[in-house]
Amino acid sequence: MNVSFFQLSFWNTAFRPFFWFGSLYGIIVIGIWLFVLSNVIINPIQVNAIHWHSYEMVFGFTKAIVLGFLFTAVQNWTNSTILKGENLFYLLLFWLFGRFAFFSVGIWGYISFGFDICSDIFVIYLLVPKLIVPTQKHNRPILYHYALFTVFHILSAICAYSILDPERTLLYIHLSIFVVLFLILIIGGRVIPFFSGVVIQGYSFKRIPKLETLLLYLPFFFYLAKLMQGFVLLSSIIALLLFVTNTIRYLSWKPWKSYQKPILWILYLGYFWVCFGFLLYSISDLNLFPVSSAIHSLTVGGLGVFIYGMITRVSLGHTGRPILASPLTVFAYVLLNVSVLIRVFLPLFHQYKYAYDLSGIGWMICFILFLIQYTVILFSKRPDGKPS
């Protein structure tokens, strides 16, 4: 391929292609899902449709956005270039080829899945040399979580293919969701107070070291409890503990001070949904709340809202533009949170079809608005001429 192609601004940093393709894919997956649910199209999926929907929203959409942000963040932390140009293109290609794993259960499906796993292995290969050094000891949990994400990714797919017990497919997909949530808790715990200090005059907060240590290691106990499926009460207690500890942390940041800055309060709202989602998940483990609603409070809410806040902020800040949310972006922030409320609470009144359709359409509108506003930004050079 022409060398000049890899010198385009689009291949300078991981967030540019992964935010763009991830957002586009988030629209496509939800669109297909709604069409399948409404019997508008013949179901093209060769495995359980719920498993496909869950798998692609985690390992397709969410993974793309996480990779875009993760490599951008690690490059800043290590002050080095890890992924750009040709390597970035090939990692994106591996991820893209991996999106066809469940449209065929034959050899082509397995090849597609192989590409998907290769993308995870490539990520670990790139991160290990940068995060294993003594100066990056505090960032190593990110590497450990991503390694677990890869293991759960493999297990969820081979269960979906019925090579292992297909009944465990959602267990491994849900565990992968929690891995990403815990990555958000680590990264969000750093960037949200920092962003607040930058834009809120006189802002300060008190860090709680013992709480931060607990939040770093509690996730691994949660993984263990979920894998031991007979220990439902234990996983419920740990989820409740995650709600309590993260809520204390959240309130210590004084989120109410962000009300005048939409591009900041959207991150606080995303973190709120993570906290609240842990509470709902805790009681869902005891059959006191629908599991699907609890999971979607963590996915559409925690992941979706936080991701949307980060991709709008990073796309502006890391391309040298003013970090201000446009009116259309603020509208998308509000619409996305309304979509969370619809998806989580309408099923409680047995309005399942409305919940799926309205929240799905709201989601698609939000990411269409992102592409409309940010495509030129992600594809073009920084206005100040600096590398991005």
Side-chain angles (χ1 to χ4, degrees):
M1 191 172 289
N2 195 316
V3 176
S4 62
F5 173 77
F6 297 118
Q7 293 174 345
L8 295 172
S9 297
F10 192 64
W11 304 112
N12 275 351
T13 47
F15 75 85
R16 290 175 178 264
F18 277 112
F19 284 5
W20 194 86
F21 278 97
S23 297
L24 178 62
Y25 192 65
I27 297 166
I28 292 170
V29 170
I30 293 299
I32 293 174
W33 179 237
L34 293 181
F35 283 146
V36 168
L37 287 179
S38 302
N39 296 313
V40 174
I41 61 173
I42 297 173
N43 188 352
I45 303 152
Q46 301 300 309
V47 297
N48 182 301
I50 293 175
H51 293 170
W52 173 83
H53 165 68
S54 305
Y55 181 96
E56 290 303 325
M57 287 306 293
V58 177
F59 303 113
F61 163 75
T62 302
K63 175 179 159 181
I65 304 297
V66 167
L67 291 182
F69 181 71
L70 186 58
F71 278 105
T72 303
V74 173
Q75 288 185 172
N76 285 342
W77 298 337
T78 60
N79 195 28
S80 61
T81 300
I82 304 174
L83 184 64
K84 66 179 295 185
E86 196 169 349
N87 282 340
L88 175 54
F89 171 78
Y90 288 122
L91 179 59
L92 180 72
L93 211 58
F94 284 176
W95 169 84
L96 189 61
F97 287 163
R99 306 283 52 84
F100 304 96
F102 293 146
F103 287 100
S104 169
V105 291
I107 186 65
W108 295 112
Y110 296 137
I111 290 172
S112 177
F113 171 60
F115 275 111
D116 218 11
I117 295 303
C118 281
S119 69
D120 284 333
I121 294 170
F122 193 18
V123 169
I124 294 171
Y125 169 79
L126 291 169
L127 291 179
V128 165
K130 299 297 182 180
L131 297 183
I132 207 68
V133 297
T135 54
Q136 293 298 317
K137 185 178 179 180
H138 59 295
N139 288 323
R140 285 180 199 164
I142 290 172
L143 186 60
Y144 304 149
H145 282 293
Y146 200 90
L148 281 172
F149 180 81
T150 303
V151 172
F152 295 145
H153 185 181
I154 294 169
L155 289 171
S156 65
I158 60 180
C159 285
Y161 282 128
S162 296
I163 297 171
L164 292 180
D165 183 4
E167 295 296 320
R168 292 178 69 87
T169 304
L170 282 181
L171 167 66
Y172 295 125
I173 292 175
H174 288 176
L175 281 167
S176 302
I177 290 169
F178 282 104
V179 172
V180 180
L181 286 166
F182 293 133
L183 285 174
I184 283 177
L185 296 180
I186 293 172
I187 296 170
R190 300 176 186 181
V191 301
I192 295 176
F194 172 75
F195 292 158
S196 299
V198 170
V199 300
I200 300 174
Q201 189 173 6
Y203 176 83
S204 66
F205 80 102
K206 188 175 181 180
R207 189 177 176 84
I208 310 172
K210 289 183 179 179
L211 180 67
E212 295 297 324
T213 302
L214 182 61
L215 286 171
L216 207 56
Y217 294 103
L218 199 55
F220 297 100
F221 292 100
F222 180 78
Y223 298 145
L224 191 60
K226 292 304 295 181
L227 285 168
M228 300 185 299
Q229 287 188 294
F231 294 80
V232 176
L233 181 59
L234 179 60
S235 67
S236 176
I237 291 171
I238 296 176
L240 183 62
L241 188 56
L242 285 165
F243 160 69
V244 172
T245 51
N246 278 287
T247 301
I248 293 170
R249 184 198 214 188
Y250 176 72
L251 293 175
S252 75
W253 294 338
K254 306 171 186 175
W256 53 88
K257 292 198 171 187
S258 67
Y259 74 97
Q260 290 183 320
K261 305 289 183 181
I263 208 156
L264 181 59
W265 59 243
I266 188 62
L267 299 179
Y268 278 110
L269 271 177
Y271 204 99
F272 163 80
W273 281 114
V274 175
C275 296
F276 188 56
F278 281 136
L279 174 62
L280 296 183
Y281 192 80
S282 173
I283 61 177
S284 75
D285 257 350
L286 303 177
N287 295 318
L288 299 175
F289 193 82
V291 175
S292 179
S293 286
I295 284 291
H296 282 85
S297 69
L298 290 164
T299 52
V300 186
L303 295 179
V305 174
F306 190 86
I307 279 173
Y308 205 88
M310 286 305 299
I311 62 176
T312 51
R313 184 184 184 93
V314 170
S315 297
L316 294 172
H318 283 264
T319 60
R321 291 169 171 83
I323 307 175
L324 296 170
S326 69
L328 266 183
T329 299
V330 175
F331 170 76
Y333 290 165
V334 174
L335 178 59
L336 188 54
N337 279 278
V338 170
S339 299
V340 181
L341 291 170
I342 290 170
R343 180 59 188 84
V344 173
F345 293 107
L346 266 191
L348 303 183
F349 303 97
H350 307 291
Q351 300 297 323
Y352 301 102
K353 190 69 167 61
Y354 284 122
Y356 303 152
D357 290 348
L358 293 177
S359 62
I361 291 169
W363 172 280
M364 292 170 69
I365 291 172
C366 290
F367 282 93
I368 288 170
L369 290 176
F370 174 80
L371 292 179
I372 289 171
Q373 295 183 91
Y374 287 85
T375 293
V376 172
I377 291 172
L378 292 173
F379 278 78
S380 60
K381 295 180 180 179
R382 286 176 60 119
D384 55 15
K386 295 180 180 178
S388 56

